[in-house]
């Protein structure tokens, strides 16, 4: 369930949107890369035409970045779009997917949209939502797709690559292990993409919504095993990734400085929240921190009254927690001070 918009909350509270600090949807507090905005402006007056080379140019650039074949890169409307493409390519009616609980809701939603079912494996708050093969495999029963989120939403925990490999080794050959790296840029661990090239049963999701700051454009991708490459033509809607989104993503990929600044701010803010918030927090490799506050709904509501929007984690099955996205240094300091008033 996406977080609520600043305008909506401001209207409801009768306050100026500029007076709100929105730390509920893990967005980039530095905004989009200026180079991406420039690229959108440059191509805006040609959107009367269907996309031309932008989609293939972006595919080729991503393939080069990760040293994989172009056919292995499935550009999509957000990582959400790739989840749908994988559901469509992998699931027959009645097939199941295995997903983390708590976890990102769209894996299950997409499976159900494609007439599939859902089984969950539990990550435990008591051990910091640690992710290992044993935990995943304890719930495995031949599901067609196994989702691993690393860094994990909402906790920020990661799964080491040897554990990902252990999951892939232990599951059936026709089971695809999908490693969701939507927050990969923020983590200090290697991507699982090299595994995709080594084997036939691992895929990786990535997005331009987080570190690249392009959430509103809906652009992401998956890297799939070579043998899956041809399925893209069957599962993709024509022109699914739009011209301006592809152009912006191409420009954003050239703007390393913006990503570096974003990641640096986020790592600082993670540490600041962990040190200064008057509540226990979970070690996070993402651009957010999960905090155990007792009554998440009450704290999120009290924070909102003070102008800070954070995520009440009741819908994740964690009613005692809130998730706080990392803001700019100024936003983070102010938000933590206001949140501490509510604790
Ligand atoms: N995976 C995870 C773990 C996420 O948290 C999100 C966004 N909240 C996504 C995928 C989807 O991102 P998008 O569709 O914006 O690329």
């Amino acid at each position: 369930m996406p977080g609520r918009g600043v305008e909506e909350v401001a209207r409801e509270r009768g306050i100026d949107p500029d007076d709100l600090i929105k730390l509920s949807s893990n967005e980039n507090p530095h905004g989009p890369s200026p180079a991406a905005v420039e690229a959108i402006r440059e191509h805006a007056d040609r959107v009367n035409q269907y996309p031309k080379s932008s989609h293939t140019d972006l595919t080729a650039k991503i393939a080069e970045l990760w040293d994989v074949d172009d056919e292995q890169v499935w550009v999509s409307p957000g990582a959400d779009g790739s989840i749908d493409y994988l559901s469509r390519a992998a699931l027959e009616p009645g097939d199941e997917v295995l997903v983390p609980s708590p976890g990102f809701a769209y894996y299950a939603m997409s499976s159900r949209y494609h007439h599939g079912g859902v089984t969950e494996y539990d990550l435990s708050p008591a051990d910091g939502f640690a992710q290992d093969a044993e935990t995943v495999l304890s719930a495995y029963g031949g599901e067609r797709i196994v989702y691993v989120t690393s860094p994990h939403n909402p906790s920020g925990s990661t799964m080491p690559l040897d554990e990902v490999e252990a999951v892939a080794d232990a599951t059936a050959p026709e089971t695809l292990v999908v490693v969701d790296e939507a927050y990969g840029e923020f983590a200090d661990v290697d991507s699982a993409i090299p595994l995709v090239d080594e084997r036939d049963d691992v895929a990786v999701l990535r997005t331009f919504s987080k570190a690249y700051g392009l959430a509103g454009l809906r652009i992401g991708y998956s890297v799939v095993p070579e043998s899956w490459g041809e399925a893209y033509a069957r599962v993709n809607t024509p022109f699914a990734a739009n011209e301006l989104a592809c152009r912006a993503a191409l420009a954003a990929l050239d703007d390393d400085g913006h990503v570096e600044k974003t990641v640096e701010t986020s790592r600082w803010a993670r540490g600041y929240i962990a040190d200064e918030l008057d509540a226990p927090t979970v070690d996070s490799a993402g651009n957010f921190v999960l905090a155990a506050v007792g009554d998440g709904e009450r704290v999120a509501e009290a924070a909102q009254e003070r102008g800070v929007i954070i995520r009440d984690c009741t819908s994740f099955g964690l009613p005692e927690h809130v998730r706080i996205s990392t803001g700019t240094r100024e936003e983070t300091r102010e938000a933590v001070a206001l949140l501490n008033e509510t604790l």
Side-chain angles (χ1 to χ4, degrees), residues 150-151 161 179-185 190-193 204-207:
S150 185
L161 288 189
V179 186
D180 181 346
E181 296 181 353
Y183 302 98
E185 291 82 3
D190 289 336
S191 169
I193 291 178
V204 171
L205 300 173
R206 287 252 163 180
T207 183

Side-chain angles (χ1 to χ4, degrees), residues 64-84:
E64 195 187 321
L65 177 72
W66 292 110
D67 196 19
V68 295
D69 294 339
D70 290 14
E71 291 68 31
Q72 291 178 266
V73 177
W74 290 5
V75 170
S76 55
D80 288 344
S82 271
I83 293 169
D84 279 339

Side-chain angles (χ1 to χ4, degrees), residues 272 276-277 306 332-342:
Y272 186 87
E276 302 297 329
L277 191 75
R306 288 163 175 76
T332 304
R333 283 198 192 93
E334 202 180 327
V336 168
L338 290 167
L339 280 169
N340 281 342
E341 290 177 11
T342 74

